[in-house]
Amino acid sequence: GSHNAVLSGMLAADKIAAAIAAGRANDEVVEIENEWRATDIGKDLKRVRNVKPLWSKFGTAIGVALGGLDMWTNTLLGFSFFGTLRHGKTDAASLEPASMHRRIDYPRPDGVLTFDRLSSVFLSNTNHEENEPVHLQVKDMALQKSSEHDIYAGPSTRYCPAGVYEWVEKNGEETFVINAQNCVHCKTCDIKDPNQNINWVPPQGGEGPVYPNM
Ligand code: SF4
């Protein structure tokens, strides 16, 4: 129960203190990369790795059919005709200007099957000190306005699962607001911002989501 959780928390803190005393403060957890690839999730992802590159390359009809074939050979025979294909471009480079697309009106969450983002953020138990050092850094605010807002219609307000980013009118000017205390550290903004203008850095020690029911 909670007693064990407190105990293991203390043990973890002791281990961290010992590691720091041993001069290992800058250790990187490099084993994570190999270890997750050996799990069931890692193996599943390996089998489907070519589906999206094939889809992008050959279009919906042929690409999806080839993706299906590739998943069969990977699953049944443990092998792919294609090896490992690469994506043609980064997520950030895949965004197109809003003027090329129709606006999507998303239905309101119904509270039964779909939920608003802030009640999900509440469940994540995410926590940051009010005055913590900024961990979501925008390199160039003028560019954020002229490009992310004016050209791409503010995708950060939709891709961020925690509703951290908002474009709000202040004194007649569209202003980029960052509610950093809600961040659940998914790193999407760092990857998806069309100008690579947002830099996610680790928050100060131990802050962020704490999922008590996972
Ligand atoms: S890391 Fe994820 S949750 Fe945090 S601000 Fe970026 S997109 Fe939002």
Side-chain angles (χ1 to χ4, degrees):
S2 63
H3 180 71
N4 280 343
V6 171
L7 203 64
S8 62
M10 278 170 52
L11 288 176
D14 284 351
K15 277 189 194 160
I16 291 168
I20 290 173
R24 295 176 48 204
N26 297 317
D27 274 11
E28 282 181 46
V29 278
V30 285
E31 311 86 55
I32 284 182
E33 179 65 18
N34 295 330
E35 284 178 7
W36 81 261
R37 284 186 187 277
T39 64
D40 287 347
I41 293 173
K43 287 179 201 153
D44 267 358
L45 287 172
K46 178 145 198 263
R47 291 184 196 115
V48 301
R49 66 192 180 282
N50 289 329
V51 174
K52 183 63 175 85
L54 285 169
W55 186 354
S56 303
K57 235 193 183 110
F58 296 104
T60 301
I62 297 170
V64 170
L66 287 175
L69 170 76
D70 195 55
M71 285 192 286
W72 277 110
T73 64
N74 269 291
T75 306
L76 297 178
L77 310 171
F79 124 103
S80 168
F81 288 111
F82 303 99
T84 296
L85 297 175
R86 304 196 69 82
H87 297 271
K89 48 190 166 181
T90 64
D91 267 354
S94 331
L95 273 176
E96 292 175 338
S99 60
M100 293 171 64
H101 296 274
R102 241 184 348 169
R103 193 192 160 83
I104 302 171
D105 277 318
Y106 294 99
R108 294 207 151 272
D110 62 11
V112 180
L113 292 175
T114 55
F115 300 91
D116 67 283
R117 279 182 284 188
L118 289 186
S119 48
S120 301
V121 171
F122 176 74
L123 291 178
S124 79
N125 231 350
T126 197
N127 178 46
H128 302 88
E129 296 276 342
E130 280 298 319
N131 54 358
E132 64 147 2
V134 181
H135 80 279
L136 299 163
Q137 300 165 348
V138 178
K139 281 174 238 158
D140 179 347
M141 270 299 179
L143 178 68
Q144 203 62 11
K145 167 75 175 64
S146 65
S147 178
E148 209 261 353
H149 179 275
D150 293 356
I151 296 176
Y152 293 96
S156 58
T157 61
R158 292 180 295 279
Y159 65 61
C160 172
V164 166
Y165 300 107
E166 293 174 290
W167 281 103
V168 176
E169 200 183 308
K170 273 189 194 160
N171 306 326
E173 256 181 56
E174 288 292 330
T175 310
F176 198 49
V177 176
I178 307 174
N179 304 297
Q181 70 280 8
N182 284 354
C183 177
V184 294
H185 307 308
C186 67
K187 264 191 106 174
T188 306
C189 49
D190 191 293
I191 294 164
K192 191 68 184 171
D193 179 74
N195 304 297
Q196 293 288 273
N197 195 26
I198 302 179
N199 190 24
W200 176 93
V201 297
Q204 71 178 5
E207 293 192 345
V210 181
Y211 295 95
N213 300 321
M214 279 178 89

